[in-house]
Amino acid sequence: MNRRPTLLAALALTATAALTLSACGSDDDSPAKDKDTIAGADTGDKKSPSPATSAPASGGRPKITFPADAKNVFEYEKTGDAAKDAALLDSTLGVNSVDEAIFKGSTDTEALGFYNAERALSASITFVNGYLKKNHTWVGETRYFDYEVKLSGANAAYITYCSDESKSFLKDKKTGKVDNTPTTADSYVLYHTKLVKNADGVWQTTDIASDRGSKTCQP
């Protein structure tokens, strides 16, 4: 399934080089330790409760909820570095916030602007609006894996990861019809993202670059 709109892809391609070059020369990843457990999200080891995806509402953070027929699965290892692990967690919540906006049918959700900023927020709004105009949502499971995180100073992080959309499908909200498209190379996407820690300690995604059909992410 192709869930990323053309505009987001175009924006992403122009940002890829900048994101990649900026990440070079930053610190190396720490050795992996225990597998992280995202609050309310499925890490692949066990099923998520219903609603399928949620984020903690404590500490002023908005709660994120998904319908029971859709979920994101995030697979990554804790690095042992507090800043890297915080950036990784907020990265996943940024992804969830975009999908929540699709499910709620609105770009005015609390979480969307909480976890995304600058060009990433603009692209995310465009992405969500693409769904709303076509009266689409999605169902199934999208898996995110092969995470790498590098820090640049105390307040910036560069995270790359893959997604597998082979088990998630577009759904027409009016008719209820699900588009069961076959799995192809385009079902796999490589992402390069930049996150910046704001004054409240939230790692917001500010830039995102994607490469759909990347051989790096294909099985």
Side-chain angles (χ1 to χ4, degrees):
M1 180 192 72
N2 296 346
R3 295 205 284 113
R4 297 291 166 184
T6 303
L7 181 58
L8 178 56
L11 173 64
L13 288 174
T14 62
T16 302
L19 288 173
T20 304
L21 289 173
S22 297
C24 292
S26 56
D27 62 341
D28 294 329
D29 289 340
S30 301
K33 294 187 179 180
D34 54 310
K35 177 170 285 189
D36 199 2
T37 301
I38 314 290
D42 195 325
T43 60
D45 290 335
K46 59 184 179 181
K47 297 296 182 181
S48 298
S50 183
T53 308
S54 62
S58 60
R61 288 173 174 254
K63 183 179 181 181
I64 298 175
T65 59
F66 274 26
D69 60 357
K71 66 179 176 181
N72 288 330
V73 175
F74 301 100
E75 299 175 351
Y76 69 86
E77 304 290 327
K78 280 188 175 180
T79 67
D81 181 288
K84 288 182 179 180
D85 291 339
L88 282 166
L89 178 57
D90 282 349
S91 171
T92 68
L93 295 175
V95 171
N96 281 349
S97 72
V98 176
D99 284 324
E100 182 195 43
I102 293 171
F103 300 135
K104 289 189 172 182
S106 172
T107 58
D108 195 31
T109 61
E110 183 180 2
L112 188 62
F114 189 91
Y115 291 108
N116 301 278
E118 300 178 17
R119 285 186 292 183
L121 177 58
S122 297
S124 295
I125 291 172
T126 299
F127 174 41
V128 173
N129 279 332
Y131 271 79
L132 303 188
K133 289 178 181 178
K134 295 181 178 180
N135 205 30
H136 283 170
T137 184
W138 66 269
V139 297
E141 174 184 301
T142 304
R143 184 170 67 96
Y144 295 88
F145 60 100
D146 281 357
Y147 277 83
E148 292 185 9
V149 57
K150 296 183 182 295
L151 299 178
S152 179
N155 297 313
Y158 295 88
I159 300 177
T160 62
Y161 56 90
C162 294
S163 74
D164 173 2
E165 299 178 355
S166 63
K167 295 181 180 179
S168 56
F169 307 96
L170 289 173
K171 179 181 178 180
D172 189 301
K173 293 169 70 174
K174 183 177 181 180
T175 66
K177 181 180 178 181
V178 176
D179 186 6
N180 291 298
T181 52
T183 299
T184 68
D186 282 346
S187 300
Y188 302 92
V189 188
L190 174 65
Y191 292 95
H192 297 269
T193 63
K194 178 182 178 181
L195 290 84
V196 174
K197 186 169 68 171
N198 67 15
D200 295 321
V202 179
W203 288 88
Q204 294 181 304
T205 301
T206 58
D207 268 302
I208 183 168
S210 63
D211 180 11
R212 181 171 290 281
S214 172
K215 292 182 178 180
T216 300
C217 299
Q218 294 177 40

